[in-house]
Amino acid sequence: MLRLKRWRFLLVQVITLEWVEGVRLESDALGENRSAMVRSLVQCSLRQMLENGFFHADPHGGNLLATKDASLCYLDFGMTSTLTQEQSYGIILAIVDLVNRDWENLVALYKRLGILDKDADEEPIVKALNDALPDVLDASVGQFNFKSVISKLGTVFYSFDFQLPPYYTAILRCLGVLEGVAIQVDPEFKILNEAYPFVASRMLSDDSAELRSALKGFLVKDGELVADRWTGLLTSASRMNGDDISVGLNSFLEYIFADDSTEMRYMLADLLVEELDGLGVDLTKFLRGYLANNSLFSLQAQPGDAQMSPKLQQALSLVNDSLLRKGVRIDDFFGIMQRFITLPAGQKFVAEVVLGVAERYSARTIRAIFRLPPAAESTRRKR
């Protein structure tokens, strides 16, 4: 390791070294701190790649030490690589597409980066990627690790004449080596599971035009927001800050209430109206079934009404995991919400959601009174 204060002794003809006391990351001397140190290693390497654009490309166990003051020390910078800003954005987007199995976007990205010929037929490549790679986040370590992904990607790359630049090869090697070190400490460790929160946080907080455009492309399909994607991105970004959802929420709202995000706000309002309306219906059915099972009440209920719907279970799980979990700063959460709601755009957004939900409930009430059939399909409100 070379500390900054020693750099004045480093010349083209002179190598300056410094002795560092420490232990390897898999050492039992670290005790319970081993897992935390490994996660620090992953985050540090990701920041080197995706923020600084200069990274240690060979972080194997012999090139890493944990010092007495619990600092992480990289040794031997004989193998390094650099990334331009465009290339780092490409890696961020590739991880997002890989985790979310969006092969069409991944192939299009490879064409933009020059890794794949721009005239290549996308359909067979998309099929090959889909067949080769498992669900990254849900697969077990036995089914999925970065070494196996590299092997499967390599087969696809070879079959379709991909041209991998040196920086991309260096990154694949670096991530594979990092996971190898981490697995020695935690056999269930998966590098992309740890990388995704960092990437999600960067996607939400970076105000570059390229990432903003990519974020919209990721969140929007066929003109509508994809609920699972934006909630997943928000939750993943929160993991970067001890599962405090207020931090990820702040970044997301900064993006949604930006001056150039009017269309996204309308989409989010439509999505929230849809979700709140469906949640209200499910909650009503559940309470009706619950009360009907109580002898003090005489209510008509349908079979299964007393069971929670998947939507209701998901909502309760989100509240429990994100808002009630120990360590979440509730005051910060509501402070953020209050700050954005006081904005003119925030007030208009809230009014859109409230009016949309009210229209749904009014229409449902009228249909119930006059015994009209349910609406065939919900539509967007006209603006």
Side-chain angles (χ1 to χ4, degrees):
M1 183 183 76
L2 186 62
R3 301 182 195 276
L4 291 179
K5 64 182 179 180
R6 310 292 191 203
W7 279 35
R8 59 195 174 100
F9 300 115
L10 185 63
L11 304 173
V12 175
Q13 297 86 6
V14 179
I15 297 177
T16 305
L17 302 178
E18 180 178 357
W19 184 264
V20 178
E21 296 284 351
V23 297
R24 292 170 66 107
L25 299 193
E26 64 269 26
S27 171
D28 292 335
L30 291 176
E32 296 180 356
N33 291 330
R34 292 193 306 168
S35 294
M37 190 63 71
V38 164
R39 280 166 174 75
S40 294
L41 165 65
V42 172
Q43 296 300 322
C44 185
S45 291
L46 287 172
R47 290 185 186 280
Q48 289 176 24
M49 292 181 202
L50 305 178
E51 290 186 359
N52 300 325
F54 176 78
F55 64 97
H56 193 305
D58 193 25
H60 62 74
N63 281 344
L64 300 163
L65 289 178
T67 64
K68 292 181 179 180
D69 62 353
S71 296
L72 176 66
C73 172
Y74 286 75
L75 305 173
D76 187 3
F77 281 77
M79 186 180 293
T80 61
S81 188
T82 59
L83 286 174
T84 66
Q85 189 173 69
E86 181 184 7
Q87 290 166 347
S88 68
Y89 288 160
I91 297 301
I92 289 173
L93 299 179
I95 292 175
V96 171
D97 292 337
L98 182 61
V99 168
N100 291 281
R101 300 178 60 79
D102 196 336
W103 310 126
E104 290 84 359
N105 270 358
L106 185 60
V107 171
L109 172 66
Y110 281 155
K111 286 187 173 183
R112 293 200 305 273
L113 294 176
I115 295 174
L116 189 62
D117 188 88
K118 63 179 181 180
D119 296 322
D121 186 1
E122 297 185 11
E123 186 174 349
I125 303 175
V126 168
K127 184 179 185 305
L129 289 170
N130 185 64
D131 293 342
L133 296 172
D135 187 325
V136 172
L137 293 182
D138 293 333
S140 66
V141 175
Q143 297 172 308
F144 173 88
N145 57 61
F146 202 73
K147 183 177 180 180
S148 70
V149 167
I150 296 304
S151 176
K152 293 173 181 177
L153 277 177
T155 301
V156 176
F157 289 163
Y158 180 78
S159 301
F160 294 96
D161 195 27
F162 281 68
Q163 302 295 321
L164 296 183
Y167 80 86
Y168 205 87
T169 304
I171 285 174
L172 294 179
R173 171 187 169 79
C174 180
L175 292 176
V177 171
L178 283 173
E179 185 172 73
V181 172
I183 286 176
Q184 295 181 55
V185 175
D186 180 3
E188 296 299 314
F189 187 92
K190 291 190 289 185
I191 187 70
L192 288 180
N193 281 44
E194 294 300 318
Y196 193 58
F198 176 88
V199 168
S201 179
R202 182 73 184 276
M203 285 277 284
L204 289 173
S205 61
D206 197 301
D207 59 359
S208 68
E210 185 170 355
L211 279 190
R212 286 293 168 117
S213 176
L215 178 59
K216 181 178 179 180
F218 169 69
L219 294 175
V220 178
K221 290 294 181 184
D222 300 323
E224 296 183 359
L225 275 178
V226 182
D228 290 344
R229 287 195 172 185
W230 75 266
T231 55
L233 199 68
L234 179 60
T235 303
S236 294
S238 300
R239 286 183 55 200
M240 279 292 293
N241 297 275
D243 290 324
D244 185 357
I245 198 172
S246 63
V247 179
L249 181 65
N250 184 67
S251 297
F252 180 72
L253 292 178
E254 289 277 7
Y255 167 66
I256 285 294
F257 288 104
D259 293 339
D260 58 352
S261 296
T262 302
E263 184 182 5
M264 290 290 287
R265 285 198 295 276
Y266 284 140
M267 291 181 186
L268 180 59
D270 287 332
L271 177 62
L272 285 178
V273 168
E274 189 78 31
E275 293 295 315
L276 290 173
D277 179 55
L279 187 61
V281 171
D282 289 348
L283 182 59
T284 301
K285 289 180 179 179
F286 172 74
L287 292 175
R288 183 176 59 195
Y290 177 82
L291 295 175
N293 291 335
N294 190 319
S295 60
L296 296 178
F297 296 90
S298 178
L299 296 174
Q300 292 184 349
Q302 299 296 324
D305 276 355
Q307 298 178 357
M308 287 192 184
S309 68
K311 185 186 293 288
L312 191 55
Q313 291 176 356
Q314 185 181 23
L316 291 176
S317 176
L318 180 64
V319 171
N320 180 66
D321 292 344
S322 301
L323 296 182
L324 302 182
R325 184 179 294 175
K326 183 179 179 181
V328 174
R329 294 182 287 274
I330 299 295
D331 290 344
D332 289 349
F333 174 82
F334 286 109
I336 290 170
M337 296 299 293
Q338 182 179 15
R339 178 162 64 90
F340 283 101
I341 288 174
T342 57
L343 295 174
Q347 294 173 359
K348 185 176 180 179
F349 176 81
V350 172
E352 287 277 346
V353 174
V354 171
L355 183 57
V357 172
E359 286 182 354
R360 296 287 188 92
Y361 275 85
S362 298
R364 188 173 289 106
T365 301
I366 292 172
R367 289 196 300 270
I369 292 174
F370 294 98
R371 298 183 179 180
L372 299 175
E377 185 177 349
S378 60
T379 58
R380 285 187 173 189
R381 296 179 59 244
K382 294 183 178 180
R383 296 182 174 88

